[in-house]
Amino acid sequence: MKRSTVSSILTVLLLIPATLYLGTKLPGRWYYLTSTLIIIETMIPFFLAFEKRRPQARELVTIAVMAAIAAVSRAAFAFIPNFKPIVGIIMITGIAFGAEAGFLTGTVAAFASNFFFGQGPYTPWQMMAYGFGGFLAGLLFHKKRKLHQKPVLYLAVLTAFGFVGIVAVVGPLLDCCTIFTTGTQLTWAYALACFASGFPINVTHGIACGLTMLLLSKPLLDKLDRLKTKYGMMEAGTDGL
Amino acid sequence: MKRDAFSQYHPAVNFVFFVGAIGFGVVIQHPAYAAAGCVSAALYYLLLRGRSAWKLILSMLPLAALLTLINPLFNTSGEHILFRVFGRPYTLEALYYGMAIAAIFVVMMLWFGCYNAVLTSDKFTGLFGNLIPALSLLLVMVLRMIPNFFRKMKQIIGARRSIGKGAEKSGSTKEKIGQGMTVLSALTDWALEGSVVTADSMRARGYGTARRTSFQIYRMTLRDWVLLALMVFLAAGVIVAGGVRAEFTPILSIAPLTWGFAAYCVFLSIPTALHIKEALQWRISISKI
């Protein structure tokens, strides 16, 4: 790791406890502000690393295209209520291009689509949740080439990952925003009630994401792989030229 | 959207105002402050959006009522027990607390509604373009691509329909999902091939060789500095004056109002006042003709 990366991570590691300390000591109701600041502080090292790297044009454009496709993907299923494939596409991007690209695609897709649907108190949470979905997918599957030899198993694993990722990680992260904006006391009972009321929504969301992985992961991953061989995109530092 | 005087100020001034308004709004749970927030945010939102503002404002009411009524179910401390739900006390104090939280929630949603109208995407990228050049470029590209891809998607669906493969409303859910996936897959292909041309064009035009400039040029002028100074002064007044403490449970104790509340009200009414002032000036100058 570069020294600048280490120092930025250290800064964040100091910033988060400082935020927590201030949030509990000052008068007023700091749950929402403290938690949201921590969410933003967690995203900063990723963004800084991306800026420091001075990304090449092709990398930038590819991430932009994937984020925009994720943002418009809901419209392809306009006939089916509550079918949201956005995180599925972010996860596929993470698998194809790595954890960092997956994270960026997720955060940018969430932020950009909120310019059309309205920013709100949930924006940082949505960015973090979607970004983390892409990050996790990249971390788990980007370099796992062995699994490719068993296509049926690979597909089954990805589908399960899509479903579990939403129900266990992305959905609860979004529910946390509800807890911090509407709770008067942070109790386990209230948190559990929020998670329970969010559970059916998360399951529907998870099914959509799992189906996206099942039906779209193979064609999309093939396309993205082909793009890598055809134009040398997303290969470290070369920009394919 | 109608012409708004506050939106004409430098984006940094707009941004600082919303950071202040939303920040104070979510942290201070004093009922008078929350009420002031509700009134000023609703007023400004109405001025910005006109008649369509009522949709958001009215949709907030049932949500606020729900939040108010739910809170005592989870927060059971308080002296005055109204009745019992499954043996758990439902207290008056917790109900008041729920009202305060609901008001805070409404304030937050309304200020965000105003934020969306005032701080448009070009202002956001103009503001942060120097701080995070690569990310703001990424954002600009995505914002341009989203409408473009919507159009492309419509073309793909139209082409498929013309060969008898349209996603009609009558098909089974399985068919509809299959159709949607095919459309997305085709869109990805189309968009990614196009992206190579974009990237090469960016290189040819010298991407990365110099500092990126932005399309809109924003400069801090004297009136921006004056307004910014006024806002910082008022915000500091709110913090210094104190008197924002309000405890609801277990015992209701609300701090008496200080001059900080006056500072808070003035701070929140800045955009509304500017809007009304300009509207009046416009009226007067028209009537002189």
Side-chain angles (χ1 to χ4, degrees):
Chain A
M1 262 195 292
K2 278 188 224 148
R3 256 183 68 197
S4 56
T5 322
V6 175
S7 64
S8 77
I9 290 173
L10 275 179
T11 320
V12 169
L13 283 182
L14 288 176
L15 262 177
I16 291 174
T19 315
L20 269 175
Y21 179 78
L22 277 180
T24 49
K25 288 292 163 197
L26 294 172
R29 184 171 162 276
W30 286 82
Y31 302 143
Y32 174 70
L33 214 58
T34 312
S35 57
T36 306
L37 278 176
I38 288 171
I39 286 286
I40 294 171
E41 282 158 11
T42 327
M43 291 192 280
I44 287 174
F46 289 94
F47 294 152
L48 281 183
F50 184 67
E51 291 288 350
K52 286 257 168 62
R53 218 152 40 81
R54 300 186 132 265
Q56 300 292 324
R58 285 195 169 171
E59 184 186 351
L60 212 62
V61 177
T62 312
I63 293 179
V65 166
M66 293 315 289
I69 287 176
V72 301
S73 60
R74 170 76 188 95
F77 302 93
F79 294 126
I80 311 156
N82 298 320
F83 193 93
K84 284 193 281 185
I86 174 164
V87 184
I89 292 177
I90 292 163
M91 284 172 170
I92 293 171
T93 313
I95 296 168
F97 299 135
E100 198 203 343
F103 184 83
L104 277 172
T105 309
T107 49
V108 171
F111 192 48
S113 68
N114 280 349
F115 272 108
F116 292 86
F117 301 113
Q119 307 285 356
Y122 42 81
T123 301
W125 293 85
Q126 216 173 10
M127 288 169 71
M128 182 66 190
Y130 288 6
F132 197 61
F135 181 80
L136 215 58
L139 208 62
L140 291 174
F141 300 110
H142 179 48
K143 295 224 165 107
K144 296 287 183 314
R145 292 286 152 184
K146 253 187 200 168
L147 268 170
H148 283 253
Q149 285 148 14
K150 294 173 189 156
V152 179
L153 178 71
Y154 187 53
L155 210 56
V157 169
L158 286 188
T159 308
F161 172 76
F163 179 76
V164 175
I166 295 283
V167 175
V169 180
V170 176
L173 254 174
L174 293 173
D175 293 336
C176 281
C177 181
T178 320
I179 299 173
F180 290 124
T181 43
T182 61
T184 54
Q185 279 183 326
L186 285 189
T187 55
W188 282 110
Y190 190 69
L192 281 178
C194 277
F195 286 133
S197 68
F199 188 69
I201 301 163
N202 291 338
V203 169
T204 341
H205 191 181
I207 291 171
C209 185
L211 274 177
T212 313
M213 295 297 257
L214 178 69
L215 298 171
L216 216 53
S217 63
K218 185 159 164 37
L220 269 195
L221 285 174
D222 285 352
K223 272 172 199 175
L224 295 174
D225 274 342
R226 197 178 85 91
L227 209 72
K228 275 193 259 186
T229 30
K230 191 173 172 188
Y231 300 108
M233 271 184 164
M234 303 299 281
E235 280 165 1
T238 59
D239 203 15
L241 287 173
Chain B
M1 198 184 101
K2 290 173 196 161
R3 195 185 143 81
D4 171 49
F6 184 61
S7 307
Q8 308 299 319
Y9 280 77
H10 192 276
V13 179
N14 297 341
F15 192 73
V16 168
F17 173 79
F18 283 112
V19 167
I22 296 171
F24 282 137
V26 298
V27 166
I28 301 173
Q29 53 184 8
H30 194 293
Y33 284 71
C38 274
V39 172
S40 49
L43 211 62
Y44 187 44
Y45 191 67
L46 269 170
L47 287 176
L48 283 173
R49 288 280 153 109
R51 218 171 261 170
S52 61
W54 288 110
K55 218 172 84 182
L56 179 73
I57 295 175
L58 291 179
S59 74
M60 284 290 119
L61 291 179
L63 217 57
L66 189 72
L67 280 176
T68 307
L69 295 176
I70 280 181
N71 184 54
L73 295 179
F74 293 97
N75 190 342
T76 51
S77 53
E79 282 186 324
H80 301 84
I81 297 170
L82 296 174
F83 49 88
R84 285 177 180 275
V85 184
F86 302 117
R88 286 159 64 88
Y90 192 99
T91 68
L92 189 65
E93 280 84 358
L95 196 66
Y96 285 149
Y97 204 173
M99 274 180 211
I101 293 302
I104 287 172
F105 183 77
V106 171
V107 168
M108 186 165 64
M109 294 311 286
L110 287 177
W111 280 131
F112 267 108
C114 300
Y115 172 95
N116 285 324
V118 172
L119 233 91
T120 47
S121 57
D122 57 317
K123 282 191 181 174
F124 184 87
T125 47
L127 195 56
F128 290 99
N130 283 331
L131 197 65
I132 41 168
L135 281 167
S136 67
L137 176 61
L138 194 61
L139 187 66
V140 171
M141 284 202 276
V142 176
L143 288 171
R144 171 195 162 275
M145 282 170 184
I146 288 176
N148 183 9
F149 287 2
F150 269 125
R151 271 197 302 277
K152 280 187 170 154
M153 200 187 280
K154 262 189 202 143
Q155 285 175 351
I156 294 170
I157 293 173
R160 286 176 58 77
R161 193 174 290 149
S162 68
I163 55 166
K165 294 208 165 197
E168 302 302 332
K169 282 172 189 152
S170 54
S172 69
T173 309
K174 195 185 157 198
E175 274 170 37
K176 283 184 206 160
I177 291 178
Q179 301 275 10
M181 295 293 173
T182 318
V183 170
L184 269 189
S185 182
L187 175 68
T188 313
D189 236 357
W190 193 359
L192 281 174
E193 291 283 337
S195 75
V196 177
V197 180
T198 312
D200 286 351
S201 167
M202 277 167 70
R203 276 184 73 92
R205 293 173 190 203
Y207 162 75
T209 50
R211 231 187 84 220
R212 205 168 73 84
T213 54
S214 69
F215 174 69
Q216 298 269 8
I217 298 167
Y218 298 107
R219 280 219 180 81
M220 289 288 281
T221 56
L222 184 65
R223 59 164 204 167
D224 295 313
W225 285 113
V226 169
L227 192 64
L228 190 65
L230 177 68
M231 278 171 12
V232 170
F233 177 72
L234 289 171
V238 175
I239 295 167
V240 171
V244 297
R245 203 178 276 275
E247 305 285 334
F248 293 88
T249 52
I251 299 163
L252 201 63
S253 90
I254 293 169
L257 290 178
T258 58
W259 56 270
F261 182 64
Y264 188 61
C265 290
V266 176
F267 177 80
L268 291 186
S269 52
I270 286 173
T272 317
L274 286 172
H275 189 107
I276 291 174
K277 179 186 143 254
E278 188 164 279
L280 283 179
Q281 270 177 346
W282 181 240
R283 278 282 167 87
I284 292 166
S285 58
I286 279 185
S287 64
K288 275 183 188 162
I289 296 171

